[in-house]
Amino acid sequence: MCLRFQATLVNEAASPSKLNRITQNAHNEVFFVRNHLHRIQVNSPGSCTMVLSALSSTYQLYKQDTDSVAAWLASTAKSLGFVADRSSTNTFKPPTAGGGGGGRLKGKARVQAKKQAAARKKPPPSTSPKYIISINDFVPLAEYLAAKATPVPDTVRSTIDRVIAARSGFASKLEKHGKALTETSDAKHQYFIGVLEKVREVLKPFMPAHNLKQAVSAEEKLSNRFASLDVYEPSQEFLDTPVSERPAQTQKDDAVYEAETEVSFEHAFFALTSAINDMNRVGDRIQWIWSNYKRGVFDLVAAAIATDTAIELVRNMLDDILPLLNKHGGVGEMLKGFYIFQCLMEGWSEDDILLKNTEDNFNYETYDIGTGTYFTTYRILEGLINVIEPNQVPIYKEGMFGSYDPASNRSRKTGLEKFADDRALLMPFFTELMTAIRGAKGWPVRDAFLHGIEEFSETKEVPFYAIFAAQTFLDITYELGEDIERSFSTMVTHATFMDNDIKMHFDFHADLKINTWAPSNDQAIRALQQDIQWLGKDPLRTAQTKFYKQAGIEMPNMKSHRLYRMSPVACGLFLYQYRTRYREAGFAVVDTWGSIQYCEHLYNALRHEGLLEDKWPDMDILVANLGEDSFFVGGELPETPQDYFKKFSLQMGTSAAAMNRVRRKNTPLQSKAGSRGLKKSSPVLSMFRNRYIGNSSQVDFTPEQVSRIIELSLFEQEAGDDDEDFFSLGRIEDPRKLQEKKKMLQEQKDKRRNRVPKSGNMPLDQLIKPLLLALHVEALEYAYPYLNMHRWCWRVLRAVKNSCDSILRQLYTPAYLEKEYQLPWMVGWIFMAASGLEGGVSDRRPMQKAAEAMNEFFDSGASSMVYKSILGDQLGMPIEIESDDK
């Protein structure tokens, strides 16, 4: 069986629609999931790969390079007998309790930081000693190694070259404009560069010879890569630079060495510049996601989870530099300095940047620079500090700051008009988020933006990642334009279907019961229905009405569910929660009743016997998504009557002897282990359950963690797919690969997997695309209406029973089926008769009568109700089927 998803991003002038292709060889059909695909506005910065091995932020790359040089110097010198001078307080110095030279948080910010630190899972403490290598000791260590004529690996030279290129390239710009930001001399930064250059000079005689021309070219690329640090487009040299190898310390040395962290303003500014470049690249990727969502390429849930995860990755990245920024005035002051620095680079004079005798001294002609440096968004959020009061929801007076027209042409607006749009969007949305935080306790889905505003409301200090989340919110809004509420419509449509389907489920089972069904299952299903209906009543509006009344203000007339109308991410995450719980309910019902599994067994047998006049598309699509091993032990389709019965017995957990005994001695049909349930086949989407259903504060999305989640995908990129504007993901068929995936998933669940990908120089933004694709290809299975399919399958079993009953009673007495919940066992009796296992004579009459019932089902058109009427017409996930045998 082969399952394949493909999509092409084409120019708008080209064909208006393409198809995601799913090929299912086993049933000799091709399924197409229709998407409308167009070329993205933001160029795709990298091709997709489903397994990532090198992930880092730009600043982390720089730190890894610096630490690796320090570790090689210290470890190698130590192995050759180097002993630190007892009078030295620097060489092999243990780290201080405060960490790497950051500023001390104060007041509420410190309290909040402690809460966050306690909430996150802490890795087990390392038993290896850790040392901080002073910059002052780099040269003495190098001289010691030179005196020993120590061979120097080429990775030492290349790593030192990268660090020098990084700092030198950045410094050339800071040296020109930095005086406007600080009077501090650049002696510290020049000193560090000088230290590295001295180390390289001392060790040069012991370095291997290398191609000078290639070395110069590589150094130029590295210099360009870091010298071009700005807030605009990333250089192609950076994107094309291969994964770097770094020098390793001696094998027997298990100590951890890190280079002393600089705390100078120049170093903090370099760290901020690196972070903002990474943020902008991630922001471009997020815009790419929603540009393609707008064109119908990506599923809403996949787009929302990928976006929120991207913000979490940025949050994780920013944790590395916050101590440095706090040392020099905090996030706000550093962003202001960076904004001024960028304006100076663009040719603005100091007097024209911060205007005098104006209301807020901001020059709105520099709006684009302010947005690219996140300073404009910071200013809006900072202005909200004074409206936050304990236990109160800030009341936004409708229209106080104007309104945003999604049909307007933003490209033609002035900087002041763009700023007005930003404020007109962020102000009311801030009220919505604060209502969810304070007015609706236990808000069921909490994304990164909401977390950031909650932290902001407690500390009255703007978290850096909340600024990025706010800018992302604005970027998505402007990208979608007049389509901004489409995600709300999608969420409502899917949630309404689930609500109605749950009602039909309980109506269907009003008198149909089974003793193995736990009452807690019904409670869980009803809880989902109640939550959907609760959301439909607009709980935020209810809470806001209360606060407006308390403030003596008349409730303004506005649309319902404003938070969702404004936030596609919130819509996608709520829909993820509902889909997950609805899917879990479906699996519980299907596994308890056996409806779908044994209808598939019967359908497969009748098809192989040539007794069917048509196909069952709804079942074919489901098998394609879940895999044959979810229905048949071993994953191989049976093709003979004997194998039909054998596979049925293995799946059901019974035997021919047991089935014969049941009608003679009234003994149980099944083994104590029971029947095998369906295997869930969306491991990537499933890994976000705790994040968006349990609201677990323990979830900490690092690049390594996200990479491991992507590795769980049951799809892989097909060979030859190296086109940036095209993806082709096929379901893995190799049994060894599937077994490895199963092992990885179990380890992930057991939280035993400590392996992390090797650090390298892949930018964070390149992690988002494979995550998005891994989520997207699972969307169809996740949205499949299992409860609805269960009822159709049960109707089929009823029809088969009515058709076969008289013959089966003759063959096996009326005891073969005494209760309706035993209908799936009827499939086994049909197979037993056809196999000739009892009496040695094959009786195909029950199978032929079953085929008559199933053919009538096909003739009614009900065999395609799920994929046509529900997935296609109602849920907007149309599927086209094309036969391979034409």
Side-chain angles (χ1 to χ4, degrees), residues 102-120:
R104 180 183 176 87
L105 294 174
K106 299 178 181 179
K108 292 182 179 179
R110 187 180 179 193
V111 173
Q112 184 65 23
K114 286 185 176 181
K115 287 182 180 179
Q116 292 175 356
R120 295 187 177 188

Side-chain angles (χ1 to χ4, degrees), residues 155-277:
T155 53
V156 174
R157 176 201 57 76
S158 61
T159 304
I160 292 176
D161 287 347
R162 283 197 301 272
V163 177
I164 292 175
R167 293 297 290 268
S168 298
F170 173 76
S172 64
K173 293 183 178 181
L174 187 61
E175 185 176 359
K176 182 177 180 180
H177 301 291
K179 294 298 181 182
L181 307 178
T182 178
E183 295 300 322
T184 304
S185 168
D186 63 351
K188 289 185 177 179
H189 112 78
Q190 293 289 357
Y191 172 72
F192 182 59
I193 293 175
V195 166
L196 293 175
E197 291 175 338
K198 181 64 175 177
V199 169
R200 183 172 60 182
E201 179 183 349
V202 169
L203 297 178
K204 187 175 181 180
F206 308 100
M207 294 178 179
H210 60 284
N211 187 307
L212 182 60
K213 184 176 181 180
Q214 290 181 354
V216 171
S217 175
E219 186 167 344
E220 285 177 352
K221 279 189 174 184
L222 290 165
S223 180
N224 289 336
R225 171 178 136 189
F226 287 98
S228 64
L229 285 173
D230 53 40
V231 296
Y232 306 111
E233 293 296 330
S235 66
Q236 192 61 40
E237 286 82 3
F238 180 91
L239 301 176
D240 292 341
T241 304
V243 174
S244 308
E245 291 188 13
R246 297 183 176 88
Q249 59 198 60
T250 56
Q251 292 183 354
K252 295 183 179 181
D253 189 355
D254 63 348
V256 177
Y257 302 94
E258 292 182 1
E260 175 186 9
T261 300
E262 297 176 83
V263 295
S264 66
F265 172 81
E266 182 274 334
H267 185 72
F269 208 72
F270 170 75
L272 177 62
T273 303
S274 303
I276 287 180
N277 275 315

Side-chain angles (χ1 to χ4, degrees), residues 2 36 48 169 298 375 409 413 416 436 444 493 555 586 602 667 779 790 809 820 843:
C2 175
H36 297 288
C48 165
F298 296 129
F375 181 58
N409 189 338
K413 294 183 179 182
L416 181 58
T493 298
M555 185 71 182
L602 181 60
T667 55
H790 157 72
R809 283 172 175 268
E820 185 175 356
D843 190 338

Side-chain angles (χ1 to χ4, degrees), residues 112 116 311-312 315 381 430 433-434 437 447-459 461-467 469:
Q112 184 65 23
Q116 292 175 356
I311 298 173
E312 289 288 350
R315 175 184 182 177
L381 293 181
F430 174 72
L433 291 178
M434 287 297 295
I437 293 167
D447 62 14
F449 196 6
L450 188 145
H451 277 297
I453 294 301
E454 184 173 31
E455 181 180 335
F456 175 40
S457 68
E458 293 178 1
T459 65
E461 294 185 10
V462 185
F464 202 169
Y465 73 92
I467 302 170

Side-chain angles (χ1 to χ4, degrees), residues 9-307:
L9 304 177
V10 298
N11 191 290
E12 293 185 9
S15 174
S17 66
K18 291 291 179 181
L19 302 173
N20 271 356
R21 185 180 181 190
I22 311 175
T23 306
Q24 183 189 359
N25 291 338
H27 289 179
N28 199 32
E29 296 164 339
V30 181
F31 301 97
F32 294 98
V33 182
R34 182 180 296 280
N35 282 322
H36 297 288
L37 309 170
H38 298 266
R39 179 170 297 280
I40 56 176
Q41 291 182 352
V42 180
N43 288 333
S44 172
S47 59
C48 165
T49 174
M50 294 304 292
V51 180
L52 299 159
S53 60
L55 309 160
S56 275
S57 71
T58 304
Y59 182 67
Q60 287 170 338
L61 289 174
Y62 168 81
K63 283 287 295 174
Q64 289 164 6
D65 279 346
T66 307
D67 289 343
S68 67
V69 172
W72 183 84
L73 288 171
S75 179
T76 307
K78 183 179 176 183
S79 70
L80 296 174
F82 179 85
V83 178
D85 187 342
R86 292 182 180 274
S87 64
S88 170
T89 58
N90 295 322
T91 309
F92 304 146
K93 180 174 64 176
T96 59
R104 180 183 176 87
L105 294 174
K106 299 178 181 179
K108 292 182 179 179
R110 187 180 179 193
V111 173
Q112 184 65 23
K114 286 185 176 181
K115 287 182 180 179
Q116 292 175 356
R120 295 187 177 188
K121 288 186 177 180
K122 298 180 179 179
S126 173
T127 57
S128 302
K130 183 176 180 179
Y131 300 104
I132 304 300
I133 309 302
S134 169
I135 294 172
N136 292 332
D137 289 312
F138 274 44
V139 173
L141 288 169
E143 290 174 339
Y144 180 84
L145 295 176
K148 297 283 188 176
T150 307
V152 180
D154 193 52
T155 53
V156 174
R157 176 201 57 76
S158 61
T159 304
I160 292 176
D161 287 347
R162 283 197 301 272
V163 177
I164 292 175
R167 293 297 290 268
S168 298
F170 173 76
S172 64
K173 293 183 178 181
L174 187 61
E175 185 176 359
K176 182 177 180 180
H177 301 291
K179 294 298 181 182
L181 307 178
T182 178
E183 295 300 322
T184 304
S185 168
D186 63 351
K188 289 185 177 179
H189 112 78
Q190 293 289 357
Y191 172 72
F192 182 59
I193 293 175
V195 166
L196 293 175
E197 291 175 338
K198 181 64 175 177
V199 169
R200 183 172 60 182
E201 179 183 349
V202 169
L203 297 178
K204 187 175 181 180
F206 308 100
M207 294 178 179
H210 60 284
N211 187 307
L212 182 60
K213 184 176 181 180
Q214 290 181 354
V216 171
S217 175
E219 186 167 344
E220 285 177 352
K221 279 189 174 184
L222 290 165
S223 180
N224 289 336
R225 171 178 136 189
F226 287 98
S228 64
L229 285 173
D230 53 40
V231 296
Y232 306 111
E233 293 296 330
S235 66
Q236 192 61 40
E237 286 82 3
F238 180 91
L239 301 176
D240 292 341
T241 304
V243 174
S244 308
E245 291 188 13
R246 297 183 176 88
Q249 59 198 60
T250 56
Q251 292 183 354
K252 295 183 179 181
D253 189 355
D254 63 348
V256 177
Y257 302 94
E258 292 182 1
E260 175 186 9
T261 300
E262 297 176 83
V263 295
S264 66
F265 172 81
E266 182 274 334
H267 185 72
F269 208 72
F270 170 75
L272 177 62
T273 303
S274 303
I276 287 180
N277 275 315
D278 287 333
M279 291 163 67
N280 282 342
R281 281 189 289 271
V282 173
D284 283 348
R285 176 59 80 187
I286 292 173
Q287 282 188 279
W288 174 85
I289 290 173
W290 292 99
S291 175
N292 281 285
Y293 166 78
K294 183 178 181 179
R295 290 156 176 79
V297 179
F298 296 129
D299 175 67
L300 173 61
V301 168
I305 293 179
T307 298

